[in-house]
Amino acid sequence: MDPAAPPAPAIAGAALAHDSARLHVTGEAAYTDDLPEPRGTLYAALGCSPVAHGRLRGVDLAAVRAAADVVDAIVAADLPCANDVGPIVDDDPILAAGVVQFAGQPVCAVLARSLPAARAAARLARYDIEPLPAILTIDAARQAESWVLPPAHLARGDAAAALRRAPHRRSGTFASGGQDHFYLEGQVSLALPQEDGGMLLHCSTQHPGEVQHRVAAALGVAEHRVTVVCRRMGGGFGGKETQMSQFACIAALFARRSGCAVKLRLDRDDDMTMTGKRHAFRYDYDVGFDDEGRILGLDLTLSSRCGFSADLSGPINDRAMFHADNCYWLPDVALHSYRCRTHTVSDTAFRGFGGPQGMFAIEAVIDEIARTLGRDPLDVRRANLYGTSERNVTPYGMTIEDNVAPQLIDRLEQSSDYRARRRAIAQWNRASPVLKRGIALTPVKFGISFTATHYNQAGALLHLYSDGSLTLNHGGTEMGQGLFTKVAQVVAQELGVSLVRIGVSASDTSKVPNASPTAASSGSDLNGMAAQDAARKLKRVLARFAADRHGVGADAVVFADDEIRIGAQRLPFAELARAAYRARVPLSATGFYATPKIDYDRRTLTGRPFYYFAYGAAVAEVVVDTLTGETRLLAVDILHDAGTSLNPAIDRGQVEGGFLQGYGWLTMEALWWNDDGVLRTHSPSTYKIPTAREWPPRFAVEFFDRPNREETIHRSKAVGEPPLMLALSAFHAIRDALAGASPGGAAPPLDAPATPEAILRAIGALGDDPLPLPVAPP
């Protein structure tokens, strides 16, 4: 090779395909349910409470045990040890005991020789339940002061005094609904008993370590006796962070009792009924502002439906409070958070982890201010933006050091031609009596780090084989987001080898212990840094070996292009690996990383909970049919801050997918429980998610190419969750279109999701019958 030849392009930062892309499209990618089943594998199913709340006086399993091919059936009394899978609070039973707390709560479990037999038998269970009053809504929980955790409050300044002094003042109530994760692969666990009381589980989980801990507690064994493995998931979105533990425990308990491999896989209806959702919120606000729309005082109450147990509702609601500012300076503010206990399934982590709900609140308040003053909502948003050297401290006391929101908004306003489009839309609406268009530009500021500070750590394990190939293992899990690809790119860049040399093995609790969940958009930040640390350790060992052989200093050894260079000498990387092996040089390294700078006091809700912020902004344009309430997304322009992207192709996919998932939450994904507390939207026939039909004719994504000011992996920024909140632009574009249907441009009282029914209700509330409405059936 010519010594003067230019270096090969960097692997970290290259737009490379997902490592499993070919396997995904050919059907060769193996998920948990695809794994070969050992001979004699048995199958589990669950019997569930038919009522939302009641005293469980007994369970009759006679018909269950008599059913064909049934091997075993258990209730809570049959569990040998801990009957709990609560991740923070011990209030989440594996099987209900003494009381049932939501319709669909598992009460018994059945083991059979086939999956159809297990499911059929589970339906034969008979329950003696004394009905008790059920709290099903946020309003009912507030009235009863029913909480899963104590209310929390956060204040700066004197909001009450600021409200009294403000030239303008508005108050109101609005709401955002929940959302089902609707991952393509449902909850599934395969438990295989091992020698001497051990247990191996293959699970579709974002947190193998949590499953390991919960299964060990349920079996009454030390954690090292339980190994949890996950090669990939068919989607997670937060729904497999804590929810898998319950099903893994049941599979493991049956495997222990039977001595056979046991698989537990939920069908779609049971999955949607038994597993938690995104938290629904009710918001009550009182805001004071000046003639320019600048917020002078804000009192904001966020009340969430948490379900029957705490699950992760504490940190989720904390994060909602931390994102109730979004990009805006709130000088005098009082935030109140009520974590409501209801007799519904316990809501849980979902992409954004409370951040979307907090942003929804402040963006709705901003829009209300703009409509009140008759101003462009973008101008009101600009007037309230955080500053850079002043007006730059959040209500929880964190100084914002990397505020790029003003520049990002400026650039997107110009590139999207926002002002001209708004004028054209106003003119179009004047000539169109039924179809109304709307446009909105909304920003995003999302904090990156776990608010549970101890989770901000990661480990990695790297092996080099004598042929020059490597195996990488880390604590992160792959759910389609491309984490394994990005982390492999980091290692390839560090060692100067091609990506094909690196194989990434399944997440495995026996290889990297105590791993944090793959959540909070921190997968690449944490695991990339840990893998880089392992690669650098291995690289130092190899460099010293090569330097000693050639009589030079270690700093003279260069790793690049699948070889090492020592001056004019070239040695293929595989030859170096073989020589190092023969010389008995250790060819394995571990890596570790702990996020610096974060310091957060949960008791006072103050400090620095986030290492940095990821920013973005979107312009969305919609058209609304005011006779049917139907909407169509016409165009989306996004400018997203990914720092120096580790993989622009994968990051683009995350931006596009995140936006569309957020669009589903805000416009169509409506969860509905009947008056008895039974979830009726429990299948694709009753629960609508976005499809290709919702994709607009134009969807433009650009990256705000600016390195992260913090020392993250290759100065990149997290990109998993922040794009979801860009869909707030579409919701406010719908509000803008509905305002165009009102003679005075009034703000319509629109809750999320903005389904056709919700839109028709909003139009009806505009008053004076501005548009003809269809007559409701009797």
Side-chain angles (χ1 to χ4, degrees), residues 496-541:
V497 299
S498 55
L499 201 59
V500 295
R501 287 191 180 274
I502 302 171
V504 184
S505 60
S507 305
D508 187 330
T509 58
S510 68
K511 294 180 179 177
V512 175
N514 309 312
S516 299
T518 304
S521 299
S522 63
S524 296
D525 283 5
L526 295 177
N527 296 289
M529 292 294 272
Q532 184 184 63
D533 182 48
R536 285 178 172 176
K537 289 177 180 176
L538 181 60
K539 185 177 181 180
R540 284 195 292 269
V541 170

mmCIF file of all heavy atoms in Angstrom, residues 496-541:
data_model
loop_
_atom_site.group_PDB
_atom_site.id
_atom_site.type_symbol
_atom_site.label_atom_id
_atom_site.label_comp_id
_atom_site.label_asym_id
_atom_site.label_seq_id
_atom_site.Cartn_x
_atom_site.Cartn_y
_atom_site.Cartn_z
ATOM 1 N N GLY A 496 -9.160 -0.138 13.993
ATOM 2 C CA GLY A 496 -8.762 0.015 12.602
ATOM 3 C C GLY A 496 -9.045 -1.204 11.754
ATOM 4 O O GLY A 496 -8.289 -1.526 10.837
ATOM 5 N N VAL A 497 -10.136 -1.900 12.044
ATOM 6 C CA VAL A 497 -10.470 -3.107 11.294
ATOM 7 C C VAL A 497 -11.812 -2.910 10.593
ATOM 8 O O VAL A 497 -12.586 -2.019 10.941
ATOM 9 C CB VAL A 497 -10.537 -4.348 12.213
ATOM 10 C CG1 VAL A 497 -9.188 -4.584 12.885
ATOM 11 C CG2 VAL A 497 -11.637 -4.206 13.266
ATOM 12 N N SER A 498 -12.071 -3.759 9.608
ATOM 13 C CA SER A 498 -13.349 -3.685 8.906
ATOM 14 C C SER A 498 -14.448 -4.273 9.780
ATOM 15 O O SER A 498 -14.205 -5.120 10.649
ATOM 16 C CB SER A 498 -13.264 -4.433 7.578
ATOM 17 O OG SER A 498 -12.826 -5.765 7.795
ATOM 18 N N LEU A 499 -15.669 -3.824 9.514
ATOM 19 C CA LEU A 499 -16.799 -4.211 10.354
ATOM 20 C C LEU A 499 -17.081 -5.712 10.278
ATOM 21 O O LEU A 499 -17.590 -6.295 11.242
ATOM 22 C CB LEU A 499 -18.033 -3.404 9.935
ATOM 23 C CG LEU A 499 -19.162 -3.273 10.957
ATOM 24 C CD1 LEU A 499 -18.683 -2.612 12.235
ATOM 25 C CD2 LEU A 499 -20.312 -2.481 10.358
ATOM 26 N N VAL A 500 -16.748 -6.333 9.155
ATOM 27 C CA VAL A 500 -17.046 -7.763 9.009
ATOM 28 C C VAL A 500 -16.232 -8.610 9.974
ATOM 29 O O VAL A 500 -16.569 -9.776 10.209
ATOM 30 C CB VAL A 500 -16.784 -8.238 7.567
ATOM 31 C CG1 VAL A 500 -17.748 -7.565 6.610
ATOM 32 C CG2 VAL A 500 -15.341 -8.007 7.158
ATOM 33 N N ARG A 501 -15.180 -8.077 10.539
ATOM 34 C CA ARG A 501 -14.378 -8.843 11.505
ATOM 35 C C ARG A 501 -15.074 -8.969 12.863
ATOM 36 O O ARG A 501 -14.654 -9.772 13.693
ATOM 37 C CB ARG A 501 -13.018 -8.176 11.717
ATOM 38 C CG ARG A 501 -12.054 -8.310 10.566
ATOM 39 C CD ARG A 501 -10.655 -7.869 10.975
ATOM 40 N NE ARG A 501 -9.729 -8.008 9.865
ATOM 41 C CZ ARG A 501 -9.076 -9.141 9.581
ATOM 42 N NH1 ARG A 501 -9.264 -10.205 10.342
ATOM 43 N NH2 ARG A 501 -8.258 -9.205 8.553
ATOM 44 N N ILE A 502 -16.092 -8.170 13.097
ATOM 45 C CA ILE A 502 -16.687 -8.087 14.437
ATOM 46 C C ILE A 502 -18.049 -8.744 14.448
ATOM 47 O O ILE A 502 -18.943 -8.375 13.684
ATOM 48 C CB ILE A 502 -16.803 -6.619 14.894
ATOM 49 C CG1 ILE A 502 -15.423 -5.964 14.893
ATOM 50 C CG2 ILE A 502 -17.442 -6.530 16.277
ATOM 51 C CD1 ILE A 502 -15.450 -4.478 15.122
ATOM 52 N N GLY A 503 -18.188 -9.713 15.311
ATOM 53 C CA GLY A 503 -19.491 -10.315 15.554
ATOM 54 C C GLY A 503 -19.985 -9.869 16.919
ATOM 55 O O GLY A 503 -19.231 -9.867 17.895
ATOM 56 N N VAL A 504 -21.248 -9.463 16.981
ATOM 57 C CA VAL A 504 -21.834 -9.028 18.251
ATOM 58 C C VAL A 504 -22.721 -10.151 18.760
ATOM 59 O O VAL A 504 -23.652 -10.579 18.075
ATOM 60 C CB VAL A 504 -22.653 -7.737 18.081
ATOM 61 C CG1 VAL A 504 -23.166 -7.256 19.436
ATOM 62 C CG2 VAL A 504 -21.798 -6.647 17.431
ATOM 63 N N SER A 505 -22.409 -10.652 19.938
ATOM 64 C CA SER A 505 -23.157 -11.784 20.484
ATOM 65 C C SER A 505 -24.361 -11.298 21.272
ATOM 66 O O SER A 505 -24.469 -10.119 21.628
ATOM 67 C CB SER A 505 -22.260 -12.652 21.364
ATOM 68 O OG SER A 505 -21.733 -11.910 22.442
ATOM 69 N N ALA A 506 -25.265 -12.210 21.560
ATOM 70 C CA ALA A 506 -26.500 -11.887 22.254
ATOM 71 C C ALA A 506 -26.225 -11.280 23.619
ATOM 72 O O ALA A 506 -25.247 -11.627 24.292
ATOM 73 C CB ALA A 506 -27.349 -13.146 22.411
ATOM 74 N N SER A 507 -27.090 -10.376 24.040
ATOM 75 C CA SER A 507 -27.012 -9.849 25.403
ATOM 76 C C SER A 507 -27.158 -11.027 26.357
ATOM 77 O O SER A 507 -28.059 -11.856 26.213
ATOM 78 C CB SER A 507 -28.114 -8.825 25.640
ATOM 79 O OG SER A 507 -28.049 -7.803 24.670
ATOM 80 N N ASP A 508 -26.277 -11.089 27.373
ATOM 81 C CA ASP A 508 -26.176 -12.294 28.193
ATOM 82 C C ASP A 508 -25.728 -11.891 29.587
ATOM 83 O O ASP A 508 -24.644 -11.332 29.767
ATOM 84 C CB ASP A 508 -25.172 -13.251 27.539
ATOM 85 C CG ASP A 508 -25.094 -14.609 28.205
ATOM 86 O OD1 ASP A 508 -25.334 -14.694 29.421
ATOM 87 O OD2 ASP A 508 -24.757 -15.586 27.506
ATOM 88 N N THR A 509 -26.548 -12.199 30.587
ATOM 89 C CA THR A 509 -26.219 -11.786 31.951
ATOM 90 C C THR A 509 -25.009 -12.521 32.510
ATOM 91 O O THR A 509 -24.429 -12.077 33.501
ATOM 92 C CB THR A 509 -27.417 -12.015 32.885
ATOM 93 O OG1 THR A 509 -27.787 -13.404 32.859
ATOM 94 C CG2 THR A 509 -28.605 -11.168 32.468
ATOM 95 N N SER A 510 -24.599 -13.624 31.890
ATOM 96 C CA SER A 510 -23.412 -14.334 32.364
ATOM 97 C C SER A 510 -22.127 -13.738 31.808
ATOM 98 O O SER A 510 -21.035 -14.113 32.231
ATOM 99 C CB SER A 510 -23.494 -15.820 31.987
ATOM 100 O OG SER A 510 -23.394 -15.995 30.581
ATOM 101 N N LYS A 511 -22.250 -12.803 30.876
ATOM 102 C CA LYS A 511 -21.066 -12.175 30.280
ATOM 103 C C LYS A 511 -20.856 -10.751 30.776
ATOM 104 O O LYS A 511 -19.737 -10.349 31.079
ATOM 105 C CB LYS A 511 -21.176 -12.200 28.754
ATOM 106 C CG LYS A 511 -21.140 -13.611 28.186
ATOM 107 C CD LYS A 511 -21.242 -13.615 26.673
ATOM 108 C CE LYS A 511 -21.180 -15.044 26.142
ATOM 109 N NZ LYS A 511 -21.338 -15.104 24.664
ATOM 110 N N VAL A 512 -21.933 -9.970 30.818
ATOM 111 C CA VAL A 512 -21.865 -8.607 31.369
ATOM 112 C C VAL A 512 -22.894 -8.526 32.495
ATOM 113 O O VAL A 512 -24.090 -8.563 32.240
ATOM 114 C CB VAL A 512 -22.148 -7.538 30.301
ATOM 115 C CG1 VAL A 512 -22.190 -6.151 30.933
ATOM 116 C CG2 VAL A 512 -21.087 -7.586 29.212
ATOM 117 N N PRO A 513 -22.436 -8.447 33.736
ATOM 118 C CA PRO A 513 -23.374 -8.486 34.863
ATOM 119 C C PRO A 513 -23.989 -7.127 35.154
ATOM 120 O O PRO A 513 -23.437 -6.075 34.824
ATOM 121 C CB PRO A 513 -22.479 -8.918 36.028
ATOM 122 C CG PRO A 513 -21.138 -8.316 35.693
ATOM 123 C CD PRO A 513 -21.034 -8.394 34.185
ATOM 124 N N ASN A 514 -25.165 -7.164 35.779
ATOM 125 C CA ASN A 514 -25.810 -5.961 36.314
ATOM 126 C C ASN A 514 -26.017 -4.875 35.256
ATOM 127 O O ASN A 514 -25.906 -3.680 35.554
ATOM 128 C CB ASN A 514 -24.992 -5.398 37.478
ATOM 129 C CG ASN A 514 -24.679 -6.452 38.522
ATOM 130 O OD1 ASN A 514 -25.554 -7.189 38.956
ATOM 131 N ND2 ASN A 514 -23.413 -6.556 38.905
ATOM 132 N N ALA A 515 -26.289 -5.281 34.034
ATOM 133 C CA ALA A 515 -26.433 -4.304 32.952
ATOM 134 C C ALA A 515 -27.712 -3.503 33.136
ATOM 135 O O ALA A 515 -28.739 -4.013 33.577
ATOM 136 C CB ALA A 515 -26.443 -5.005 31.603
ATOM 137 N N SER A 516 -27.652 -2.245 32.781
ATOM 138 C CA SER A 516 -28.823 -1.370 32.836
ATOM 139 C C SER A 516 -29.757 -1.684 31.677
ATOM 140 O O SER A 516 -29.347 -2.281 30.678
ATOM 141 C CB SER A 516 -28.382 0.097 32.774
ATOM 142 O OG SER A 516 -27.546 0.411 33.864
ATOM 143 N N PRO A 517 -31.012 -1.276 31.778
ATOM 144 C CA PRO A 517 -31.918 -1.505 30.647
ATOM 145 C C PRO A 517 -31.490 -0.694 29.436
ATOM 146 O O PRO A 517 -30.853 0.355 29.560
ATOM 147 C CB PRO A 517 -33.265 -1.026 31.184
ATOM 148 C CG PRO A 517 -32.933 -0.054 32.270
ATOM 149 C CD PRO A 517 -31.678 -0.567 32.894
ATOM 150 N N THR A 518 -31.833 -1.198 28.274
ATOM 151 C CA THR A 518 -31.638 -0.418 27.051
ATOM 152 C C THR A 518 -32.852 0.484 26.931
ATOM 153 O O THR A 518 -33.908 0.101 26.423
ATOM 154 C CB THR A 518 -31.483 -1.339 25.843
ATOM 155 O OG1 THR A 518 -30.403 -2.240 26.091
ATOM 156 C CG2 THR A 518 -31.174 -0.533 24.586
ATOM 157 N N ALA A 519 -32.689 1.689 27.426
ATOM 158 C CA ALA A 519 -33.801 2.626 27.548
ATOM 159 C C ALA A 519 -33.213 4.017 27.737
ATOM 160 O O ALA A 519 -31.999 4.196 27.750
ATOM 161 C CB ALA A 519 -34.693 2.245 28.737
ATOM 162 N N ALA A 520 -34.099 5.005 27.876
ATOM 163 C CA ALA A 520 -33.697 6.396 28.116
ATOM 164 C C ALA A 520 -32.788 6.937 27.016
ATOM 165 O O ALA A 520 -32.010 7.864 27.250
ATOM 166 C CB ALA A 520 -33.013 6.535 29.480
ATOM 167 N N SER A 521 -32.870 6.356 25.827
ATOM 168 C CA SER A 521 -32.065 6.793 24.676
ATOM 169 C C SER A 521 -30.569 6.711 24.937
ATOM 170 O O SER A 521 -29.781 7.361 24.260
ATOM 171 C CB SER A 521 -32.435 8.235 24.280
ATOM 172 O OG SER A 521 -33.774 8.334 23.899
ATOM 173 N N SER A 522 -30.166 5.905 25.922
ATOM 174 C CA SER A 522 -28.768 5.909 26.356
ATOM 175 C C SER A 522 -27.979 4.717 25.851
ATOM 176 O O SER A 522 -26.820 4.538 26.228
ATOM 177 C CB SER A 522 -28.718 5.929 27.888
ATOM 178 O OG SER A 522 -29.313 4.754 28.416
ATOM 179 N N GLY A 523 -28.577 3.869 25.002
ATOM 180 C CA GLY A 523 -27.915 2.640 24.591
ATOM 181 C C GLY A 523 -26.561 2.857 23.962
ATOM 182 O O GLY A 523 -25.568 2.223 24.340
ATOM 183 N N SER A 524 -26.469 3.747 22.978
ATOM 184 C CA SER A 524 -25.191 4.002 22.310
ATOM 185 C C SER A 524 -24.243 4.774 23.214
ATOM 186 O O SER A 524 -23.033 4.502 23.236
ATOM 187 C CB SER A 524 -25.423 4.774 21.011
ATOM 188 O OG SER A 524 -26.172 4.015 20.097
ATOM 189 N N ASP A 525 -24.765 5.747 23.950
ATOM 190 C CA ASP A 525 -23.913 6.527 24.844
ATOM 191 C C ASP A 525 -23.184 5.628 25.834
ATOM 192 O O ASP A 525 -21.967 5.734 26.022
ATOM 193 C CB ASP A 525 -24.755 7.543 25.626
ATOM 194 C CG ASP A 525 -25.146 8.753 24.800
ATOM 195 O OD1 ASP A 525 -24.844 8.774 23.598
ATOM 196 O OD2 ASP A 525 -25.757 9.677 25.359
ATOM 197 N N LEU A 526 -23.931 4.753 26.491
ATOM 198 C CA LEU A 526 -23.349 3.924 27.551
ATOM 199 C C LEU A 526 -22.537 2.770 26.983
ATOM 200 O O LEU A 526 -21.353 2.599 27.309
ATOM 201 C CB LEU A 526 -24.453 3.391 28.456
ATOM 202 C CG LEU A 526 -25.236 4.423 29.268
ATOM 203 C CD1 LEU A 526 -26.349 3.737 30.055
ATOM 204 C CD2 LEU A 526 -24.321 5.180 30.226
ATOM 205 N N ASN A 527 -23.161 1.972 26.139
ATOM 206 C CA ASN A 527 -22.500 0.769 25.655
ATOM 207 C C ASN A 527 -21.405 1.077 24.635
ATOM 208 O O ASN A 527 -20.412 0.350 24.559
ATOM 209 C CB ASN A 527 -23.541 -0.180 25.069
ATOM 210 C CG ASN A 527 -24.522 -0.652 26.125
ATOM 211 O OD1 ASN A 527 -24.179 -1.440 26.999
ATOM 212 N ND2 ASN A 527 -25.757 -0.163 26.061
ATOM 213 N N GLY A 528 -21.583 2.160 23.882
ATOM 214 C CA GLY A 528 -20.521 2.562 22.968
ATOM 215 C C GLY A 528 -19.265 2.954 23.710
ATOM 216 O O GLY A 528 -18.148 2.587 23.310
ATOM 217 N N MET A 529 -19.405 3.695 24.801
ATOM 218 C CA MET A 529 -18.237 4.095 25.580
ATOM 219 C C MET A 529 -17.600 2.897 26.277
ATOM 220 O O MET A 529 -16.362 2.793 26.364
ATOM 221 C CB MET A 529 -18.632 5.159 26.592
ATOM 222 C CG MET A 529 -19.015 6.487 25.981
ATOM 223 S SD MET A 529 -17.646 7.336 25.167
ATOM 224 C CE MET A 529 -16.942 8.251 26.545
ATOM 225 N N ALA A 530 -18.412 1.980 26.789
ATOM 226 C CA ALA A 530 -17.861 0.789 27.441
ATOM 227 C C ALA A 530 -17.104 -0.075 26.430
ATOM 228 O O ALA A 530 -16.014 -0.591 26.727
ATOM 229 C CB ALA A 530 -18.976 -0.008 28.100
ATOM 230 N N ALA A 531 -17.675 -0.237 25.230
ATOM 231 C CA ALA A 531 -17.007 -1.026 24.198
ATOM 232 C C ALA A 531 -15.726 -0.346 23.728
ATOM 233 O O ALA A 531 -14.714 -1.012 23.459
ATOM 234 C CB ALA A 531 -17.962 -1.247 23.017
ATOM 235 N N GLN A 532 -15.752 0.977 23.625
ATOM 236 C CA GLN A 532 -14.540 1.706 23.254
ATOM 237 C C GLN A 532 -13.451 1.506 24.309
ATOM 238 O O GLN A 532 -12.266 1.328 23.980
ATOM 239 C CB GLN A 532 -14.849 3.189 23.102
ATOM 240 C CG GLN A 532 -13.659 4.013 22.615
ATOM 241 C CD GLN A 532 -13.967 5.494 22.563
ATOM 242 O OE1 GLN A 532 -14.248 6.103 23.597
ATOM 243 N NE2 GLN A 532 -13.939 6.070 21.374
ATOM 244 N N ASP A 533 -13.846 1.508 25.577
ATOM 245 C CA ASP A 533 -12.877 1.279 26.650
ATOM 246 C C ASP A 533 -12.249 -0.107 26.524
ATOM 247 O O ASP A 533 -11.027 -0.265 26.652
ATOM 248 C CB ASP A 533 -13.579 1.430 27.998
ATOM 249 C CG ASP A 533 -12.643 1.267 29.175
ATOM 250 O OD1 ASP A 533 -11.558 1.887 29.170
ATOM 251 O OD2 ASP A 533 -12.986 0.510 30.116
ATOM 252 N N ALA A 534 -13.065 -1.126 26.242
ATOM 253 C CA ALA A 534 -12.528 -2.476 26.064
ATOM 254 C C ALA A 534 -11.602 -2.539 24.858
ATOM 255 O O ALA A 534 -10.525 -3.150 24.912
ATOM 256 C CB ALA A 534 -13.674 -3.474 25.906
ATOM 257 N N ALA A 535 -11.998 -1.899 23.748
ATOM 258 C CA ALA A 535 -11.169 -1.917 22.538
ATOM 259 C C ALA A 535 -9.840 -1.206 22.768
ATOM 260 O O ALA A 535 -8.791 -1.651 22.285
ATOM 261 C CB ALA A 535 -11.934 -1.266 21.383
ATOM 262 N N ARG A 536 -9.863 -0.127 23.511
ATOM 263 C CA ARG A 536 -8.609 0.596 23.782
ATOM 264 C C ARG A 536 -7.680 -0.225 24.660
ATOM 265 O O ARG A 536 -6.453 -0.196 24.472
ATOM 266 C CB ARG A 536 -8.931 1.947 24.424
ATOM 267 C CG ARG A 536 -9.479 2.947 23.427
ATOM 268 C CD ARG A 536 -9.846 4.285 24.072
ATOM 269 N NE ARG A 536 -10.183 5.263 23.045
ATOM 270 C CZ ARG A 536 -10.622 6.490 23.300
ATOM 271 N NH1 ARG A 536 -10.792 6.890 24.561
ATOM 272 N NH2 ARG A 536 -10.905 7.304 22.305
ATOM 273 N N LYS A 537 -8.233 -0.952 25.610
ATOM 274 C CA LYS A 537 -7.394 -1.817 26.449
ATOM 275 C C LYS A 537 -6.747 -2.908 25.602
ATOM 276 O O LYS A 537 -5.548 -3.186 25.737
ATOM 277 C CB LYS A 537 -8.231 -2.434 27.566
ATOM 278 C CG LYS A 537 -8.662 -1.457 28.642
ATOM 279 C CD LYS A 537 -9.554 -2.136 29.673
ATOM 280 C CE LYS A 537 -9.994 -1.162 30.761
ATOM 281 N NZ LYS A 537 -10.938 -1.805 31.718
ATOM 282 N N LEU A 538 -7.535 -3.544 24.738
ATOM 283 C CA LEU A 538 -6.996 -4.578 23.865
ATOM 284 C C LEU A 538 -5.965 -3.995 22.903
ATOM 285 O O LEU A 538 -4.902 -4.605 22.648
ATOM 286 C CB LEU A 538 -8.140 -5.245 23.099
ATOM 287 C CG LEU A 538 -7.767 -6.378 22.147
ATOM 288 C CD1 LEU A 538 -7.099 -7.517 22.896
ATOM 289 C CD2 LEU A 538 -9.020 -6.876 21.409
ATOM 290 N N LYS A 539 -6.258 -2.813 22.424
ATOM 291 C CA LYS A 539 -5.346 -2.148 21.481
ATOM 292 C C LYS A 539 -4.008 -1.840 22.147
ATOM 293 O O LYS A 539 -2.938 -2.014 21.534
ATOM 294 C CB LYS A 539 -6.001 -0.863 20.980
ATOM 295 C CG LYS A 539 -5.238 -0.113 19.902
ATOM 296 C CD LYS A 539 -6.064 1.096 19.462
ATOM 297 C CE LYS A 539 -5.382 1.889 18.369
ATOM 298 N NZ LYS A 539 -6.209 3.054 17.955
ATOM 299 N N ARG A 540 -4.049 -1.414 23.398
ATOM 300 C CA ARG A 540 -2.796 -1.125 24.106
ATOM 301 C C ARG A 540 -1.956 -2.387 24.272
ATOM 302 O O ARG A 540 -0.733 -2.358 24.115
ATOM 303 C CB ARG A 540 -3.093 -0.498 25.463
ATOM 304 C CG ARG A 540 -3.508 0.968 25.392
ATOM 305 C CD ARG A 540 -3.443 1.630 26.747
ATOM 306 N NE ARG A 540 -4.445 1.111 27.668
ATOM 307 C CZ ARG A 540 -5.655 1.632 27.812
ATOM 308 N NH1 ARG A 540 -6.015 2.682 27.075
ATOM 309 N NH2 ARG A 540 -6.518 1.123 28.669
ATOM 310 N N VAL A 541 -2.601 -3.498 24.583
ATOM 311 C CA VAL A 541 -1.870 -4.767 24.728
ATOM 312 C C VAL A 541 -1.221 -5.160 23.408
ATOM 313 O O VAL A 541 -0.037 -5.543 23.361
ATOM 314 C CB VAL A 541 -2.832 -5.874 25.210
ATOM 315 C CG1 VAL A 541 -2.168 -7.251 25.124
ATOM 316 C CG2 VAL A 541 -3.282 -5.604 26.635
#
